[in-house]
Amino acid sequence: MSEPFFSQLKCRECGALYPKKAIHVCEYDFGPLEADYDYGKIRAAISRGKIQSRPLTMWRYRELLPIDGEPTVGLKVGFTPLVKADRLAEALGVSELYVKNDAVNYPTLSFKDRVVAVALSRARELGFKIVACASTGNLANSVAANAAAAGLESYVLIPYDLERSKVLNSLVYGTRVIGIEGAYDQVNRLCSEIAGKHGWGFVNVNLRPYYAEGSKTMGFEIIEQLGWEIPAHTVIPMASGSLLTKINKAYREAVKVGLVSESKFGIYGAQAAGCNPIAAAQKAGTDLIRPVPKPDTIAKSLAIGTPADGYYAVNVMRNTGGAAEDATDSEIIDAIKLLAETEGIFTETAGGVTLACAQKLIVSGKIPRDERIVICITGNGLKTAEALDGHLPPPARIKPSLREFDALIAK
Ligand SMILES: Cc1ncc(COP(=O)(O)O)c(C=O)c1O
Ligand SMILES: [Zn+2]
């Protein structure tokens, strides 16, 4: 890409401009820095046809992503299926429902491959040799895999008590996995200190403005896969709240650069009841986020007690006429089973949260039954298998005999 579409970083609070370096907070008001683009230039440069002529990956929207040159990491990430979920729609009593299925994102089966593709491509442009992250599991998997494939050294820091498969899915790539005796917030705080001292590229700390933009591609894909329309209602899981704010940004940018016409849309956030700082604030009608010091939920990937983008997420929901919900552990399990039984999609606990909350928003009338709904499934069920322990019947067991088989199915 020769023309620079991505111009600078900009403070989300005061609008102060900064150079495109590994920085993430405004020095005047500590506001988060965000990528800023030359939208006029992008509008002139892209079109639906141009995008559609490109390979089916997230990089088909590259003018709206914050790197200077060609991407070098995660070239095959994205363009996951948008499934028209008619059987689930019938179960929920709604007329038009889609599942955006990032449970099958390449290569590590969660939407985090999108953010990592951008962060590590940018990390290379900025000259980092060592990359790292603070993670609730999926981000660690993705940093480990994509860094390995790019030949970058990596460290991933996680709460020590994550699901077995999430830990294994980091270890296998040869990254350094460090389990911290504490909750995610403590992991994150430590990572800020390490980034300051060692100068590594932490994808979600000092590289956060670049990392976060990767989530927009989920929104661009939804629009394109709906035939270039913004869905009326989108339900999104929230941990830090970043994905939700970036899908909103994607919908707005798509209008701004002329890819879709403007239409009214609602953005809805989903959290676990055992760690619901953003949902609780939204329900209480405030944008003051009260931290949850000790998260207690099977949805460990969403267990962030002090969400960095919580304030912005609440404001997106308010400004779009959306809302938030939260789901208990048993509601999460029921939703995982419902999605599997109706659509053949096995999601991790975060997806159970999203579907359970979507269901509640429909029942309460906050999402109308006769308008188009998209729910974002962001991670794979094979990574949180233990959440289902004791919730599924064991397989039948018989001798290799036709008599025993016939007796079994006659029951
Ligand atoms: C599967 C899954 N879904 C959703 C999220 C939410 O991400 P965000 O921090 O952007 O709100 C995460 C975060 O780790 C996740 O692992
Ligand atoms: Zn500022």
Side-chain angles (χ1 to χ4, degrees), residues 223 226 229-234 248 251-252 255 260-268 316-323 366-368 371-373:
I223 290 173
L226 287 173
E229 282 181 25
I230 300 172
H233 309 279
T234 310
N248 174 67
Y251 290 176
R252 290 181 192 284
V255 173
V260 282
S261 39
E262 192 156 11
S263 63
K264 192 174 149 30
F265 63 84
I267 298 283
Y268 302 80
V316 164
M317 290 184 266
R318 196 190 52 223
N319 294 338
T320 61
K366 289 186 179 147
I367 295 181
E371 293 180 15
R372 185 183 276 170
I373 306 166

Side-chain angles (χ1 to χ4, degrees), residues 60-223:
R60 61 211 261 117
Y61 315 104
R62 65 185 194 179
E63 286 86 351
L64 289 153
L65 294 170
I67 58 172
D68 290 331
E70 293 296 325
T72 59
V73 182
L75 301 186
K76 302 284 188 194
V77 175
F79 224 82
T80 55
L82 181 75
V83 179
K84 182 139 192 298
D86 290 341
R87 280 172 45 78
L88 181 59
E90 195 182 338
L92 300 186
V94 298
S95 59
E96 196 182 354
L97 180 70
Y98 295 82
V99 171
K100 178 60 174 167
N101 188 6
D102 263 25
V104 292
N105 205 1
Y106 179 86
T108 67
L109 309 179
S110 88
F111 92 97
K112 293 289 182 182
D113 290 323
R114 300 175 183 277
V115 287
V116 169
V118 176
L120 295 193
S121 289
R122 185 66 186 148
R124 273 196 160 160
E125 289 184 342
L126 293 170
F128 286 101
K129 299 281 181 287
I130 300 180
V131 293
C133 67
S135 172
T136 55
N138 283 311
L139 181 60
N141 297 169
S142 187
V143 166
N146 284 293
L152 287 162
E153 192 180 342
S154 68
Y155 288 74
V156 302
L157 286 85
I158 52 175
Y160 77 99
D161 59 350
L162 291 185
E163 300 91 343
R164 189 179 127 77
S165 186
K166 288 259 169 81
V167 178
L168 200 78
N169 271 289
S170 290
L171 288 169
V172 72
Y173 304 106
T175 184
R176 291 285 293 276
V177 181
I178 303 168
I180 307 298
E181 295 171 2
Y184 174 82
D185 287 336
Q186 291 159 295
V187 178
N188 193 41
R189 211 167 304 129
L190 175 62
C191 286
S192 293
E193 289 172 13
I194 299 170
K197 176 160 183 213
H198 292 274
W200 299 347
F202 272 85
V203 302
N204 55 342
V205 182
N206 49 347
L207 295 171
R208 193 172 178 87
Y210 310 102
Y211 151 99
E213 292 287 291
S215 287
K216 290 190 311 193
T217 60
M218 203 160 173
F220 296 140
E221 288 174 19
I222 290 169
I223 290 173

